[in-house]
Amino acid sequence: MARPPTDTVSTGPGQPRAMTDDALDTLLASVSERVTPDAAERERLQAVADELAVRAEVAIDELPVEADTAKVGSSARSTWLAGDRDIDLFVRFSPELDREELEQYGLDVGHHVLPDGHEEYAEHPYVKGEYEGFEVDLVPCYAVDAATDIRSAVDRTPFHDAYLQARYTPKLSEDARLLKRFLKGIGVYGSDLRTAGFSGYLVELLVLEYGGFRPLVEAATEWHPPVEFDLRRNDDDDGAAVVRPEEQDAAAFDDPLVVIDPTDPDRNVAAVLSESNLARFQHYCRELLADPREELFFPEPTEPLDADAVQEHIERRGSHPVAVVFDAPAVVEDQLFPQLRRSLEGVRGELDRRDFDPLRAATFAADAEGSDGNGDGTDDAESWGRAVLLVETSVESLPAIERHEGPPVHVGEHARSFYETYADDQSIYGPFVDGDRYVVERERDHRTPEAFLCSDALFDVALGAHVESALEREYEVLVGEAIAELADEFGSELRTYFEPRV
Ligand code: CTP
Ligand code: MG
């Protein structure tokens, strides 16, 4: 069949692309519809935020010091997702105050504004509570002159807000909402250390850098981490509180994604984003362009896996899972999860060194039933249910002996001392020579992963400090199909473990 002349080709390379573009635009319009707060929601939020600010002003008037309020976060910039009900209100005090005074006055104002609120702890305590159906964070900070003079991490927030307020347009806000919804859909939104994902501020900076959601997504498919952005280069006039590149070099970071904070070049806004979550983001950007679909933004919830299904997986895999199960220590989430991950890596690494050949590992912690947000005025330490360090090994048991290689025979003093150490030891095989080396076969400390986990040697592993104390109190080791008992509490986590996806 003759080829038609090129200018009439109807299925050239440009064509499918154009169709996908249409499909993506249609999808984005429909997602946008779902995540844009309507006028009633905006007015309601505005009214409540104003009311909270007035209540804070009243409380400030009673203090012996000056302070003012600042509405910050997505609710101040109209970048929140429809239906999200959180309001961040900051109270700014003079940097002359010492820390204890700031904390005390901050809490006074917080409790006055939110009578049913409870205290939480970030870098210093603040009050969180419900007000007219909104989750309100009332956070004290220092009114410093520049974000580079901060005394506590929260002092930067009003500068972030000013920076974005000066540059954001309604179109950018719409695109920031799309990006938040997309990141939530794929499970990587949130700068808490459990999620290790993208923060709201990072979302807004990335959308600003690329001028929109779509150009960002298209570019991200081509990123080769580490990738670095310095938005200060884009400013040709004085925006709000920007430290310009010629005034201060950015610090050097070795994170996979670096977005220099334009208000404080010593900070990488993407510092908590994990390598895996960046890779996930790139994967799903590609998916979105290849096959635009609503589930990427609004996925079906994961159904928990039941105990029978867990057993089936273990049988089918023929592997040897072992789990250390204990009561999670009562520390805040941002402490707990890094400690759990460090402990897991310690245990996994040690099982690897001991030749049990780990396939995969995961850690979980359950929220205590009925805990948190109870407004009972108790403080910050969160209560959790059980925690799990799960390692799936390839090797179920090893011989009673292990090979231990000495130095080559020709290395003289060193070799002789090795030989003499073992020469009269009746408990070992050897020393004998294999190739040019002395070798002995000696008794192995632990023949199974569970024997190691049940021994004191577990405590020689680098564990998170609070995890270590929790284990010193009590722990249990589950082996093989017995881990199915975790399905009651950790069904969703086990689904993710046994049916892994990007
Ligand atoms: N913030 C803080 N301490 C808190 C709550 C918020 O310092 N207890 C600061 C954060 O650092 C952030 C801003 O307040 O700069 C808003 O935080 P957050 O609500 O997490 O993010 P948003 O940008 O509002 O995005 P979202 O739409 O997810 O609420
Ligand atoms: Mg917020």
Side-chain angles (χ1 to χ4, degrees), residues 404-409 415-416 418-419 431-433 436-440:
H404 177 53
E405 291 196 347
V409 175
R416 211 183 48 226
F418 180 87
Y419 179 80
F432 54 91
V433 164
D436 66 347
R437 286 176 186 272
Y438 289 120
V439 175
V440 296

Side-chain angles (χ1 to χ4, degrees), residues 331-397:
V331 295
V332 295
E333 187 179 67
D334 273 359
Q335 284 185 291
L336 182 61
F337 282 85
Q339 288 199 23
L340 287 174
R341 288 189 196 118
R342 188 163 351 120
S343 307
L344 181 68
E345 183 39 36
V347 172
R348 197 206 60 80
E350 190 56 31
L351 287 170
D352 196 18
R353 272 186 295 283
R354 290 175 184 266
D355 295 333
F356 295 111
D357 209 353
L359 278 164
R360 194 136 59 87
T363 177
F364 327 128
D367 296 320
E369 262 159 56
S371 79
D372 211 7
N374 51 11
D376 61 4
T378 53
D379 70 338
D380 45 34
E382 287 186 46
S383 45
W384 300 92
R386 296 198 295 172
V388 178
L389 306 174
L390 170 67
V391 184
E392 186 185 7
T393 65
S394 306
V395 174
E396 189 173 334
S397 81

Side-chain angles (χ1 to χ4, degrees), residues 72-77 79-81 84-90 120-124 126-128 137-140 153-158 160-161 164 177 180 184 189-192 198-204 267:
V72 299
S74 59
S75 54
R77 291 189 300 271
T79 51
W80 79 93
L81 297 179
D84 269 11
R85 303 177 72 78
D86 86 46
I87 297 181
D88 306 294
L89 183 62
F90 275 47
E120 296 222 350
Y121 200 90
E123 221 176 289
H124 52 68
Y126 64 99
V127 176
K128 188 182 190 88
D137 280 4
L138 205 136
V139 182
V154 293
D155 301 346
R156 282 194 199 95
T157 299
H160 295 166
D161 194 64
L164 292 170
R177 285 190 295 263
K180 282 186 189 181
K184 279 195 181 187
Y189 183 67
S191 59
D192 58 280
F198 294 72
S199 68
Y201 182 49
L202 177 58
V203 162
E204 292 186 50
R267 176 169 177 267

